[in-house]
Amino acid sequence: MEAFLEIDPASDFSIDNLPYGCYSTRGGGGNGGAAAPPRRALCVALGNSVVDLGALQRAGLFSGPVLSKHADCFQTDALNGFMALGQPAWREARATLRRLLSASEAALRDDAALRAEAIVPMSDVTLHLPFSVGDYTDFYASRYHAHNCGVMFRDASVALPRNWLHLPIGYHGRASSIVVSGTPVQRPRGQVLDAASDTPVMRPCAAVDFELEVACVMGTGNELGSSIPADGAAASIFGLALMNDWSARDVQQWEMLPLGPFNSKNWATQLSPWVVTLEALEPFRCDAPVQEPGVLPYLREADRHVYDINLTASILPEGGPETLVAESNYKHIYWTFPQMAAHHTFGGCNLRTGDVLGSGTCSGPGPNQRACLLERTWGGKDPVKLEGGAGQRTYLRDGDSVVIRGWAGGGGGGGGAGRRRVGFGECRGKLLPSPAL
Amino acid sequence: MEAFLEIDPASDFSIDNLPYGCYSTRGGGGNGGAAAPPRRALCVALGNSVVDLGALQRAGLFSGPVLSKHADCFQTDALNGFMALGQPAWREARATLRRLLSASEAALRDDAALRAEAIVPMSDVTLHLPFSVGDYTDFYASRYHAHNCGVMFRDASVALPRNWLHLPIGYHGRASSIVVSGTPVQRPRGQVLDAASDTPVMRPCAAVDFELEVACVMGTGNELGSSIPADGAAASIFGLALMNDWSARDVQQWEMLPLGPFNSKNWATQLSPWVVTLEALEPFRCDAPVQEPGVLPYLREADRHVYDINLTASILPEGGPETLVAESNYKHIYWTFPQMAAHHTFGGCNLRTGDVLGSGTCSGPGPNQRACLLERTWGGKDPVKLEGGAGQRTYLRDGDSVVIRGWAGGGGGGGGAGRRRVGFGECRGKLLPSPAL
């Protein structure tokens, strides 16, 4: 299938992708005039454009059996209502959009007025978080990451926590501070243990790190007291996004025992503006790592799989060129999102539309696949050299931006080679100086 | 000041209290007919009645300078809009309500039609959570509780975690599973370590516990990247409620390292239906425990205080009489809610209207002041004997209800003796059997 718009083969946003987002233009939403206040509208990405879902819906083009009953679901700035409709609605929307955007369909292609309203150049828009976040949970699902942390902080012989191979370890995160790509973040202040004096002090964090993660956006949930089986959980997942779990390592080290990370994590968590649906990722399925020892029945998956998604993280110092500091892949993750959902709900906890599950730092086996600076520099012993004479980094400096990218297919290795690229765009954030103490 | 309704002196809900809630009647809200669907409406409690705030507002009785500008703030089923207006609105609403409900004011007292609409017997109503919960954070702020846990799980010589006296330790909790008093909760299933085989198994939790806590409901918050100073934080707090932080101890023990409690806590957290304002608690202020060693400047309070609030927890087995198992007081808490808010936001995390901060188990110094079964039975070594021949408990049995109560004044000891009782009502929940595995 070809789109009626010309799409650069290197674009993240082929017609096989169609990730969901939310945009505004300086003059207003997709159909706002220059004088209108900025209005947010839902969209999908296609090549260098965004396609306004509200405009297509107002034109009566979502006429399938499910969406025709929910004629207002895109007339808002949050996907939650649409996500709550479940997989039949998601499939119908995708099929409808692929047809409407294809070269062979006239309805939108030949309607100049509708095209002018519904198709907006990406260069003219600001992107926003496309859904309202419910609860946010972050996991610790890469065996390589957990192993590396264990070796650094304990010992290679007891690197993995005792429970690690038996359950996907997670903790509740902070939903209020989830921000979209492009939002600057501020170096946090924090209480840390001063090594010289062995007393706690308050100061700006001296160890700001990123964590390259993949986020799962729940489309539907479960009632309190019920649970989601691992095998059925994929049907509840709306899609995936990129995530940077900004971390303050010195704060984390002092606060973490006994109840887990708190202020070290809650000052900012950043998401890509695009949510890529599981359906778009389907061609890039691959086997997940074998689990040995085997897991308890509630975590078993008859159809266990992950996706072959290339993941990179770069540091862009102010004025300098980007340096690639991590090249990993989502396929290395040990615990799958369906397993995380099954574990999360096994005791009866309810997941809701818009909840976010984070994978944890998505490290792979190789040294250049370590997906945060803590691991990449091995606790500071091996700083990262930046290109263009920008010095080296153990942790981030004020003015540094972190850019996370992810894509499947479109050349490169893996099972998706030769297929059109299905990408996530960027998750980008610049670190600003700490406020005064 | 006397109310024009007769109030039993033993009532939690004197005219000096006026806690906020949300109710519905079987036939609809305050002004619904028998055929109307249940409609939820905001209210305050007064004696054996609820007073419908929406009805008073529609009658034009919130005519002060702040609330007259927000004439719809009570025409909803969630307090969030009102709470976000801030302390001037809260003070004005309280002053208005006390005047309207006093024996000396005719506006409501002598308006039979309005009284019929606005004053509803408590026995006719169902109570709901009166606000939409944003994020939920639970702290660990009682030194007695932390000490007891440390002695049980580590050793008396290192009972307190190393950071405990320097910062209010907290963790992000689960907002989706916060339920109102009266909601039955279901024994969770979980992954636990089987002691006999030393392997993890999945089974119903065998160690369901309660935790008697006080919850702080944030009225206003802060922008991401800013912080709330400890000294100003009280102005952001709308009020307090009772909380039962239901806990699955066997699940907790296996899952907790390294990232903190997760499924052991996220299956249910229960709140009292009434939120008592800080203004109503003002007469019961008392000194908070002295902090030695001193705390860092961002945690210092010029006006450091807590409140003298009696707290009890009882177990009510099916068909049996209640047994009082814990008698504590909020005044024993070491870290105050303003300190928790200051710490939570020190790194730039944003708090929002409707966020809940939990005190953690509110234990006092005495053995009968240990406010969860883990502590009360000293890890199971000293089971609690129930009255009426209902046996003994290490942890809860299916069918047991836990009833938490809290009140200031109205007789008894403490600084509030002789003042009218300002109570929280109950936080009550019954434990149902676990679903099949």
Side-chain angles (χ1 to χ4, degrees), chain A residues 153-207:
Chain A
F153 290 108
R154 288 184 297 274
D155 185 86
S157 65
V158 289
L160 287 182
R162 196 169 165 216
N163 50 10
W164 200 94
L165 292 168
H166 299 287
L167 56 84
I169 295 178
Y171 65 98
H172 301 116
R174 181 77 194 175
S176 71
S177 52
I178 292 183
V179 297
V180 75
S181 175
T183 311
V185 302
Q186 196 174 263
R187 179 184 295 273
R189 309 179 297 184
Q191 184 177 137
V192 301
L193 190 69
D194 181 63
S197 65
D198 202 38
T199 56
V201 296
M202 53 189 263
R203 69 179 177 210
C205 168

Side-chain angles (χ1 to χ4, degrees), chain B residues 21-179:
Chain B
C22 174
Y23 81 104
S24 62
T25 59
R26 276 163 282 285
N31 65 343
R39 188 181 63 85
R40 295 183 181 194
L42 298 173
C43 61
V44 292
L46 181 67
N48 293 321
S49 301
V50 304
V51 180
D52 189 308
L53 299 173
L56 300 187
Q57 190 171 50
R58 289 190 296 276
L61 295 177
F62 286 108
S63 54
V66 180
L67 294 177
S68 59
K69 292 196 201 79
H70 301 278
D72 285 339
C73 69
F74 295 128
Q75 308 303 317
T76 169
D77 61 359
L79 285 163
N80 297 58
F82 170 62
M83 296 196 301
L85 297 177
Q87 207 178 45
W90 314 337
R91 289 189 169 159
E92 184 178 300
R94 178 174 170 83
T96 301
L97 285 165
R98 280 168 59 78
R99 183 172 47 73
L100 287 173
L101 295 168
S102 75
S104 57
E105 173 91 1
L108 176 58
R109 183 194 68 200
D110 296 349
D111 185 333
L114 184 56
R115 280 183 63 156
E117 182 188 351
I119 300 180
V120 184
M122 192 94 66
S123 54
D124 289 353
V125 310
T126 302
L127 295 169
H128 310 278
L129 266 194
F131 61 99
S132 170
V133 178
D135 278 284
Y136 156 48
T137 305
D138 200 23
F139 286 86
Y140 188 50
S142 157
R143 184 169 182 165
Y144 303 105
H145 174 63
H147 176 84
N148 288 338
C149 291
V151 172
M152 278 186 276
F153 289 108
R154 288 185 295 274
D155 183 85
S157 64
V158 289
L160 287 182
R162 195 168 167 218
N163 51 9
W164 200 93
L165 291 169
H166 300 287
L167 57 84
I169 296 178
Y171 65 98
H172 301 116
R174 180 78 194 174
S176 71
S177 52
I178 292 182
V179 297

Side-chain angles (χ1 to χ4, degrees), chain A residues 45-329:
Chain A
L46 180 67
N48 293 321
S49 302
V50 305
V51 180
D52 189 308
L53 299 172
L56 300 187
Q57 190 171 51
R58 290 190 295 276
L61 295 177
F62 287 107
S63 55
V66 180
L67 293 177
S68 59
K69 292 196 200 80
H70 301 277
D72 285 338
C73 69
F74 294 126
Q75 308 303 316
T76 169
D77 61 0
L79 285 163
N80 297 59
F82 170 62
M83 295 196 303
L85 297 178
Q87 208 178 44
W90 313 337
R91 290 189 168 159
E92 185 178 301
R94 178 175 171 83
T96 301
L97 284 166
R98 281 169 58 78
R99 183 173 47 73
L100 287 173
L101 295 169
S102 74
S104 57
E105 173 90 2
L108 176 59
R109 184 193 67 199
D110 296 348
D111 185 333
L114 184 57
R115 280 183 63 155
E117 183 188 351
I119 300 180
V120 183
M122 191 96 64
S123 54
D124 288 354
V125 310
T126 302
L127 295 168
H128 309 279
L129 266 193
F131 61 100
S132 170
V133 179
D135 278 283
Y136 156 49
T137 304
D138 199 23
F139 286 86
Y140 188 49
S142 155
R143 184 170 183 166
Y144 303 105
H145 174 62
H147 176 85
N148 287 339
C149 291
V151 172
M152 278 186 277
F153 290 108
R154 288 184 297 274
D155 185 86
S157 65
V158 289
L160 287 182
R162 196 169 165 216
N163 50 10
W164 200 94
L165 292 168
H166 299 287
L167 56 84
I169 295 178
Y171 65 98
H172 301 116
R174 181 77 194 175
S176 71
S177 52
I178 292 183
V179 297
V180 75
S181 175
T183 311
V185 302
Q186 196 174 263
R187 179 184 295 273
R189 309 179 297 184
Q191 184 177 137
V192 301
L193 190 69
D194 181 63
S197 65
D198 202 38
T199 56
V201 296
M202 53 189 263
R203 69 179 177 210
C205 168
V208 173
D209 201 354
F210 68 85
E211 292 192 340
L212 190 177
E213 303 198 12
V214 173
C216 164
V217 181
M218 296 305 298
T220 57
N222 61 304
E223 292 297 312
L224 186 63
S226 74
S227 58
I228 299 178
D231 263 331
S236 296
I237 297 173
F238 180 68
L240 306 185
L242 301 176
M243 190 165 95
N244 181 354
D245 179 23
W246 291 94
S247 299
R249 298 294 183 200
D250 44 3
V251 176
Q252 186 173 3
Q253 197 166 359
W254 174 233
E255 76 177 1
M256 193 157 147
L257 281 177
L259 299 184
F262 185 58
N263 277 357
S264 53
K265 300 281 193 172
N266 66 19
W267 51 282
T269 307
Q270 198 150 30
L271 285 180
S272 64
W274 300 110
V275 182
V276 176
T277 63
L278 288 200
E279 215 179 340
L281 291 168
E282 191 65 18
F284 307 100
R285 282 170 67 134
C286 57
D287 288 342
V290 172
Q291 295 191 312
E292 179 51 48
V295 296
L296 286 168
Y298 78 97
L299 293 168
R300 283 182 203 149
E301 301 169 284
D303 177 23
R304 176 172 166 79
H305 63 275
V306 285
Y307 302 98
D308 183 350
I309 303 170
N310 301 291
L311 299 168
T312 67
S314 302
I315 295 176
L316 171 64
E318 217 148 20
E322 253 187 61
T323 300
L324 191 63
V325 296
E327 292 180 90
S328 188
N329 193 301

Side-chain angles (χ1 to χ4, degrees), chain A residues 324-372:
Chain A
L324 191 63
V325 296
E327 292 180 90
S328 188
N329 193 301
Y330 177 66
K331 71 184 177 191
H332 299 306
I333 212 78
Y334 189 84
W335 294 101
T336 68
F337 284 122
Q339 288 181 310
M340 294 180 210
H343 182 67
H344 206 317
T345 60
F346 184 59
C349 180
N350 53 332
L351 294 180
R352 297 181 294 191
T353 298
D355 284 351
V356 171
L357 311 182
S359 63
T361 306
C362 216
S363 297
N368 65 335
Q369 293 179 312
R370 294 172 184 161
C372 62

